[in-house]
Amino acid sequence: MSVEKTMMNVIVDTGCANLSSVKFAVERLGFQVTITDDITLIKNADKVILPGVGTAKHAMANIRAKGLVETLQNLTQPVLGFCLGMQLMCDSSVESSDGKKVDCLGIIHTDIIPLNAENNRLPHMGWNTLTSVGDHPVFKGINIGDYFYFVHSFAAPISEYTLATCQYGSSFSAVIAKDNFIGCQFHPERSSKLGSKIIKNFLELAL
């Protein structure tokens, strides 16, 4: 039996959309994965994916209602966030209907702010290139100039936690990381072969 078939990978059910597309993207690579909000399963997983679509306010309300805040904050295995899932790892976000600051998980110490798109249309939606790529196993086979699929109007500024950048009016963090937590502002599950490579690299990270 192959190594990946014996590992337990989970997608956290945050109550947001796109869970099925993330699950399909993982399974297409030959890995098994379970969508769950069960605290025990999440704690015992080998790899955890935190997806998200919608607003930070709505997603954090779901996470709190499910009693998952402390569980997610204390995970020690590799965790990969997709788009809003990445933003939820940060200290706060102003992505709410009233524009007020939303307290997030506080794992990666940066804040999500409106994307300074200059004269470009928002949301930043479609394919864009990475303008810098850091040294991390999740980037194996990924290079500056590679295209990924973005859909967002809010972003993490460049900081000490930035692993990759993108330009849309201004530069922003395309990937951030701290310890075992990694977050992609783009959607790996929608980013064709290169997005699949990011997911595969993550699932094959040494424990």
Side-chain angles (χ1 to χ4, degrees):
M1 184 177 291
S2 60
V3 173
E4 60 266 31
K5 297 300 183 183
T6 65
M7 295 176 62
M8 185 172 72
N9 305 305
V10 305
I11 297 167
V12 179
D13 183 357
T14 57
C16 298
N18 90 321
L19 296 174
S20 295
S21 62
V22 175
K23 185 173 189 287
F24 177 72
V26 173
E27 291 176 340
R28 190 170 54 210
L29 292 168
F31 295 85
Q32 294 179 343
V33 67
T34 301
I35 298 173
T36 185
D37 57 9
D38 182 274
I39 289 174
T40 300
L41 287 180
I42 295 170
K43 284 182 176 179
N44 291 327
D46 295 295
K47 304 286 169 58
V48 175
I49 295 175
L50 181 64
V53 170
T55 68
K57 183 176 182 179
H58 178 248
M60 282 306 303
N62 287 346
I63 288 171
R64 291 189 185 96
K66 291 171 179 279
L68 294 175
V69 172
E70 186 176 350
T71 296
L72 295 175
Q73 290 172 332
N74 291 307
L75 293 177
T76 57
Q77 65 270 64
V79 182
L80 180 64
F82 290 12
C83 196
L84 178 60
M86 180 212 86
Q87 297 184 359
L88 297 178
M89 294 177 175
C90 300
D91 287 335
S92 70
S93 172
V94 292
E95 189 180 14
S96 62
S97 57
D98 55 12
K100 293 182 179 178
K101 186 174 76 170
V102 177
D103 290 331
C104 295
L105 294 170
I107 296 164
I108 301 178
H109 301 306
T110 187
D111 299 295
I112 302 303
I113 59 176
L115 176 61
N116 179 15
E118 298 291 346
N119 295 320
N120 293 307
R121 183 182 300 176
L122 287 173
H124 172 212
M125 182 166 64
W127 296 88
N128 205 343
T129 56
L130 300 184
T131 51
S132 70
V133 176
D135 182 19
H136 192 283
V138 81
F139 290 139
K140 181 180 178 182
I142 304 298
N143 301 292
I144 292 172
D146 284 345
Y147 281 88
F148 292 89
Y149 190 82
F150 293 82
V151 183
H152 64 118
S153 297
F154 296 80
I158 308 300
S159 73
E160 63 184 291
Y161 303 106
T162 301
L163 277 185
T165 58
C166 182
Q167 178 87 19
Y168 189 74
S170 62
S171 291
F172 62 90
S173 294
V175 181
I176 58 176
K178 181 178 183 290
D179 302 325
N180 54 305
F181 290 88
I182 308 156
C184 300
Q185 179 60 71
F186 51 83
H187 283 272
E189 81 282 11
R190 298 187 191 179
S191 296
S192 193
K193 291 182 179 180
L194 291 176
S196 294
K197 189 180 291 290
I198 292 273
I199 297 171
K200 188 172 187 287
N201 288 343
F202 169 73
L203 294 172
E204 290 180 345
L205 285 177
L207 296 173

